[in-house]
């Protein structure tokens, strides 16, 4: 009751507060014990530090910086297209690894097939590996496996790689067009998945301290200021001024996105 009352105090209605608590319970983020609430148990997640490759420096023999791409909530695979175009425009870097996470099997299979056909036409392209459907599965060991998908991805990266962690996490409860006009926000059953982004960024950095992880996040521009601040804090930018850069897609399209 105290937790629901706290959610009511920040603007959620009774249904929204109850749904938020149910979501947290279902995700094992919290647990109920004799009427009291405590943080949930840590699931089977593995974040072991991996050995650093022996190659010296953060650049290859041709003084070209290695770039890796890990696209969460990949959708139609536009992140890979954007990164490929950006890398081609900068002679001093090259894409050395690319992988994606997408829950929709139709989209995931279509993206994978598209890039496999592209590799048949140009063998120099790196594979686009579908690591998992659920973003949290990146931190879970599959049945009969000793490593997680994130560990497998991290182990392929050359020393000093800059990893672009791109994500367009679900906006259903963050957008003003949602059921609660954005008030449910990060407490919602879909939009709560945003928190996988900073967790995975942190885990990847812990596994490979020699690499740099840069997060590129897209979401609805109509989210409330409170939820925007929560996102910034989770990503290590406690103020909007802490951004490296904030872009609004409305500059190029009919759709405002931050």
């Amino acid at each position: 009751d105290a937790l629901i009352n706290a959610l009511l105090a920040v603007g959620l209605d009774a249904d929204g507060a109850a749904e938020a608590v149910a979501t947290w319970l279902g995700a094992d983020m919290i647990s109920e014990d004799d009427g009291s609430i405590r943080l949930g148990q840590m699931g089977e997640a593995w974040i072991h530090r991996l050995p650093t490759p022996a190659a010296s420096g953060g650049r290859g023999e041709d003084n070209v910086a290695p770039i890796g791409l890990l696209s969460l909530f990949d959708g139609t695979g536009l992140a890979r297209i954007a990164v490929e175009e950006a890398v081609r425009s900068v002679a001093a870097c090259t894409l050395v690894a690319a992988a994606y996470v997408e829950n929709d099997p139709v989209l995931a299979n279509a993206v994978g097939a598209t890039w496999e056909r592209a590799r048949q036409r140009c063998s120099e392209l790196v594979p686009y590996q579908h690591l998992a459907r659920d973003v949290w599965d990146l931190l879970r060991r599959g049945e009969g496996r000793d490593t997680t998908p994130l560990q497998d991805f991290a182990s392929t990266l050359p020393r000093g790689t800059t990893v672009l962690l791109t994500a367009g996490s679900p906006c259903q409860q963050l957008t003003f067009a949602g059921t609660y006009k954005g008030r449910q926000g990060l407490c919602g059953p879909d939009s709560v998945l945003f928190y996988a982004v900073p967790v995975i960024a942190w885990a990847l950095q812990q596994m490979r301290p020699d690499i740099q992880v840069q997060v590129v996040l897209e979401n609805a521009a109509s989210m409330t200021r409170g939820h925007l601040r929560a996102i910034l804090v989770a990503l290590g930018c406690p103020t909007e001024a802490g951004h490296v850069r904030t872009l609004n897609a409305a500059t190029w399209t009919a759709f405002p996105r931050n």
Side-chain angles (χ1 to χ4, degrees):
D1 290 342
L3 180 56
I4 289 180
N5 288 336
L7 293 172
L8 294 174
V10 297
L12 285 184
D13 60 20
D15 290 340
E19 187 173 346
V21 172
T23 298
W24 294 337
L25 287 169
D28 290 330
M29 296 170 68
I30 60 174
S31 60
E32 187 176 5
D33 185 13
D34 293 331
S36 62
I37 295 292
R38 57 183 174 81
L39 292 177
Q41 295 292 327
M42 177 67 71
E44 187 173 295
W46 303 86
I47 309 174
H48 300 305
R49 182 167 293 189
L50 300 174
T52 301
S56 61
R59 293 175 179 263
E61 295 180 357
D62 299 325
N63 201 34
V64 176
I67 304 295
L69 169 65
L70 178 54
S71 174
L72 310 182
F73 315 101
D74 187 64
T76 56
L78 293 180
R80 172 73 188 265
I81 294 175
V83 169
E84 288 280 357
E85 291 182 356
V87 167
R88 282 197 297 269
S89 69
V90 180
C93 64
T94 185
L95 189 65
V96 296
Y100 66 103
V101 177
E102 173 53 48
N103 190 53
D104 187 318
V106 175
L107 286 177
N109 291 338
V111 168
T114 297
W115 283 101
E116 185 56 36
R117 289 193 296 270
R119 291 189 68 234
Q120 291 174 5
R121 296 191 297 269
C122 179
S123 60
E124 294 182 358
L125 289 174
V126 299
Y128 202 25
Q129 184 181 4
H130 185 206
L131 289 184
R133 291 184 59 188
D134 186 333
V135 287
W136 294 114
D137 282 344
L138 288 177
L139 301 171
R140 298 182 180 119
R141 295 189 304 181
E143 185 176 352
R145 294 185 58 84
D146 294 328
T147 59
T148 67
L150 190 60
Q151 281 180 297
D152 294 338
F153 174 74
S155 67
T156 67
L157 301 173
R159 183 186 182 117
T161 296
T162 296
V163 176
L164 300 178
L165 181 62
T166 63
S169 56
C171 67
Q172 287 92 321
Q173 291 84 41
L174 281 165
T175 176
F176 184 80
T179 302
Y180 303 108
K181 298 188 182 300
R183 292 191 298 273
Q184 192 176 21
L186 297 172
C187 300
D190 304 296
S191 295
V192 71
L193 289 173
F194 154 75
Y195 285 107
V197 179
V199 169
I200 290 167
W202 172 83
L204 187 56
Q205 192 71 77
Q206 293 297 308
M207 292 175 184
R208 287 288 304 276
D210 62 291
I211 69 174
Q212 299 181 55
V213 180
Q214 300 290 336
V215 175
V216 180
L217 181 73
E218 176 274 333
N219 215 292
S222 64
M223 72 176 70
T224 67
R225 305 300 295 180
H227 289 295
L228 175 58
R229 286 194 297 271
I231 286 174
L232 294 178
V233 170
L235 293 175
C237 298
T239 66
E240 290 185 63
H243 281 80
V244 173
R245 181 172 296 176
T246 300
L247 302 175
N248 190 335
T251 305
W252 300 278
T253 75
F255 306 99
R257 294 287 189 275
N258 285 334

